[in-house]
Amino acid sequence: MDNLSFPILGRAFHAENVPPLLERWLKEHLYYPEVSPPENFYSIKLEVLDKAPDLGEGVSRKSEADMNDEVFWWKQDGSRWWFVEGDTGIQFIVDSDAFNITIWGIRNGSRPELKKTFMAMYLAFLEAIRVSGLFPLHASVAIKDDLVTAYTGESGMGKSTTLVKALADGAEPLAEDLSWLDPRTTTIYGWDNGLRFWEDGWEKLPEKYKKMDWNGDRDGKMILPWDKLDLERTPSAQLDQLYLLRRCADEKELLETESVPTHLAVRALWEASGVPLTDTAKKKISQGIAQLLSRLQIAVLYI
Amino acid sequence: MELHHKYEQNPDIIETDLEEELILLDPKSQEMFSLNDTGRIVWNELSSSTVPEVVSLVKTTFDISKEIAERDVTELVSNLSEAGLIIPRANTNG
C-alpha cells in the first residue's frame, strides 16, 4: 500500500496506506493535472483504517445527494461528521486550514460493495473543496470568440443539449457537467472526464466531434475523454456569463434571454451548487453567491 | 397564532447575505424570504434572546416607539414561524 499526494484544484491532498482499489478511485475522480488553480493554503488529508474509530453519539442529518438520487444519513458532532454503511464508513472533520477524512473497512471489499461508502467519500471531498473557497457549478460551459458561457438548470432541463448546440455553432467545450468557480476572480475550472451525451445528443454533434474516439460509458451514454478530444482544450477560463435555462413558454421566443431578479439568481446559484452539509461550507457558498452576483452577468435563456 | 417566548433558527435554512438584504432559502420547499434591516436583527438575535429582548433591541437600534417595535417584531416572528424558518426554542433552565 502506498502513500499518495497530488493537488486537488490547488489544494494539497495527501493520503496514507492507500489500497490499490482506493488509489484507482482517487485518481479517477479527483486527479485532474491539467486543471491547476493557484496553490491554496487549504489541505485535504485522507486516512485509511481497518475498523471504525470511536464515533460516539451524534445528531442525525440527512442529505440527498444529486448522485443517482441517493439519500445519505450522516451523523454530526460539532465539526465532525460521519457516515456508516455496515462495516465501512467515512468520517470527516472540518478545521480552519485542513479537512481530515477517514475511511475504514474497505481493504477487502469490492467496488460494487463499497459503492455507497465511496459516494459518501466523494461528497466529503466536494465538501472539502467548498470549505476551501471554491464554488461548485453544475453547468455545461462553452467558449466561443473568447466569450465563456455557463449553462445551468434543473436536471433534465437541457444543459448537455445546449452544449451540443453551442459546439455545433462553433464553440469549444470547457465542461459538460461540473466545474468549480472561484467567486473572487470568476475563474472557472472544468471538472469532467470528458464529453458525455446520450445518443440522440451525440447525433446532433458536428461531424468533427463524431469522428473522434468515443466509447460507451457504464450508464449508456457516449463518452469522449478529454485526452481524445482532437482539439486544443481550455480547461479553465474567466467566466463571462451564466445562463439559467428555462423551457420556452408560448410568449417567449426560443433563445430569448431575460434579466433575472436577484432572488431568482440566488436560488438558481444555490441549486447549481448543491446544498452543502456543513455550516462552514454554507457560509462559504453564501459569500461566494454574494460575490458572483456582483461580478457575473446572469440571465435566463429560454430553450 | 400563539407566539412563544424563545425561538431558534431552523438549521436547514440557508442564508445569503447580500448586505442590503438577507435572503433565506428553505431548500425543501424552495421558498425564499427577503429580510430587511429589522428582519436581519430578528433573525440574528432570536437564537440568543427572548422576543421581548429583540423588541427592545429593535426599538433602540431604529429609535422607534416600543409599540411600533413590538408590532413589527411580533409580525415578523409570526411570519418566520409560520414559514418554518424559526422554531420554538426549548427551555434550558437548570
Side-chain angles (χ1 to χ4, degrees):
Chain A
M1 284 177 296
D2 293 328
N3 296 341
L4 194 60
S5 293
F6 54 82
I8 298 175
L9 292 162
R11 284 82 180 130
F13 168 64
H14 181 73
E16 294 192 348
N17 299 322
V18 181
L21 174 67
L22 179 57
E23 181 172 347
R24 283 195 297 277
W25 186 94
L26 289 167
K27 286 183 174 170
E28 183 183 332
H29 290 85
L30 299 169
Y31 183 61
Y32 294 88
E34 74 279 13
V35 181
S36 53
E39 203 173 297
N40 184 279
F41 72 93
Y42 206 76
S43 66
I44 304 170
K45 296 169 192 166
L46 176 63
E47 182 186 20
V48 183
L49 301 178
D50 291 329
K51 292 181 185 175
D54 181 15
L55 298 170
E57 297 297 319
V59 177
S60 287
R61 300 290 289 270
K62 178 184 173 188
S63 78
E64 293 180 42
D66 187 19
M67 290 189 296
N68 304 322
D69 297 321
E70 288 278 0
V71 173
F72 291 81
W73 281 99
W74 295 82
K75 287 272 183 100
Q76 180 203 359
D77 180 8
S79 62
R80 188 169 64 91
W81 290 67
W82 63 97
F83 168 83
V84 176
E85 179 83 353
D87 293 331
T88 74
I90 288 285
Q91 172 185 267
F92 68 78
I93 300 173
V94 188
D95 284 332
S96 56
D97 58 354
F99 198 94
N100 298 291
I101 303 172
T102 304
I103 188 169
W104 62 87
I106 64 164
R107 294 201 200 281
N108 297 320
S110 67
R111 196 145 167 171
E113 290 163 0
L114 299 172
K115 181 183 168 191
K116 196 151 183 184
T117 300
F118 276 30
M119 285 171 79
M121 182 172 58
Y122 186 67
L123 291 177
F125 276 102
L126 297 185
E127 193 75 3
I129 301 170
R130 284 188 179 100
V131 168
S132 77
L134 290 180
F135 186 98
L137 194 66
H138 282 285
S140 56
V141 185
I143 307 175
K144 186 180 176 190
D145 299 330
D146 293 327
L147 191 68
V148 184
T149 305
Y151 304 97
T152 188
E154 295 171 9
S155 183
M157 185 58 72
K159 296 186 284 293
S160 291
T161 305
T162 305
L163 180 62
V164 169
K165 289 180 181 166
L167 300 185
D169 197 33
E172 290 176 4
L174 187 149
E176 186 262 325
D177 182 61
L178 178 60
S179 16
W180 291 92
L181 187 51
D182 185 337
R184 298 164 305 167
T185 63
T186 66
T187 308
I188 190 161
Y189 303 96
W191 193 249
D192 300 305
N193 288 319
L195 294 175
R196 291 175 74 247
F197 299 116
W198 295 112
E199 196 171 337
D200 58 350
W202 182 88
E203 288 291 344
K204 293 174 184 152
L205 284 170
E207 278 306 309
K208 69 175 181 183
Y209 285 96
K210 285 157 85 171
K211 285 178 183 170
M212 296 178 190
D213 192 8
W214 294 80
N215 288 315
D217 206 353
R218 284 187 282 254
D219 59 0
K221 283 188 175 181
M222 308 280 289
I223 179 167
L224 180 72
W226 292 127
D227 60 3
K228 303 281 190 223
L229 185 72
D230 205 12
L231 296 170
E232 192 169 334
R233 177 182 163 248
T234 305
S236 63
Q238 200 89 20
L239 183 64
D240 294 302
Q241 54 193 12
L242 173 67
Y243 282 125
L244 313 178
L245 302 178
R246 294 282 184 273
R247 289 269 177 251
C248 187
D250 289 339
E251 66 274 18
K252 297 288 179 189
E253 286 190 24
L254 195 63
L255 299 182
E256 185 175 315
T257 62
E258 191 175 76
S259 61
V260 183
T262 302
H263 297 163
L264 285 185
V266 168
R267 178 160 61 196
L269 286 168
W270 276 109
E271 283 174 356
S273 70
V275 179
L277 281 169
T278 64
D279 286 345
T280 309
K282 284 178 189 171
K283 282 194 180 108
K284 287 283 188 177
I285 297 295
S286 173
Q287 286 163 2
I289 288 176
Q291 288 171 315
L292 288 170
L293 287 177
S294 65
R295 292 177 184 155
L296 206 55
Q297 283 187 54
I298 301 176
V300 169
L301 175 66
Y302 288 97
I303 59 170
Chain B
M1 180 181 195
E2 182 191 346
L3 288 186
H4 294 260
H5 204 55
K6 296 180 182 177
Y7 288 87
E8 60 187 5
Q9 295 174 359
N10 179 336
D12 293 333
I13 300 301
I14 295 172
E15 289 180 31
T16 309
D17 190 340
L18 300 183
E19 291 184 14
E20 65 273 13
E21 62 181 319
L22 182 66
I23 295 182
L24 305 179
L25 168 65
D26 183 343
K28 285 181 193 154
S29 68
Q30 289 291 299
E31 283 194 62
M32 301 193 65
F33 304 87
S34 173
L35 299 181
N36 59 13
D37 290 341
T38 305
R40 184 191 292 268
I41 289 177
V42 173
W43 173 254
N44 287 332
E45 296 298 323
L46 261 185
S47 292
S48 55
S49 305
T50 63
V51 172
E53 287 168 346
V54 175
V55 169
S56 182
L57 180 59
V58 166
K59 172 183 173 295
T60 307
T61 303
F62 298 105
D63 193 23
I64 53 178
S65 70
K66 184 176 176 229
E67 289 71 28
I68 292 176
E70 199 162 71
R71 181 199 67 199
D72 288 351
V73 170
T74 52
E75 184 181 339
L76 186 55
V77 168
S78 176
N79 291 340
L80 291 173
S81 179
E82 202 168 313
L85 272 64
I86 58 175
I87 48 183
R89 185 168 18 127
N91 280 327
T92 55
N93 292 330

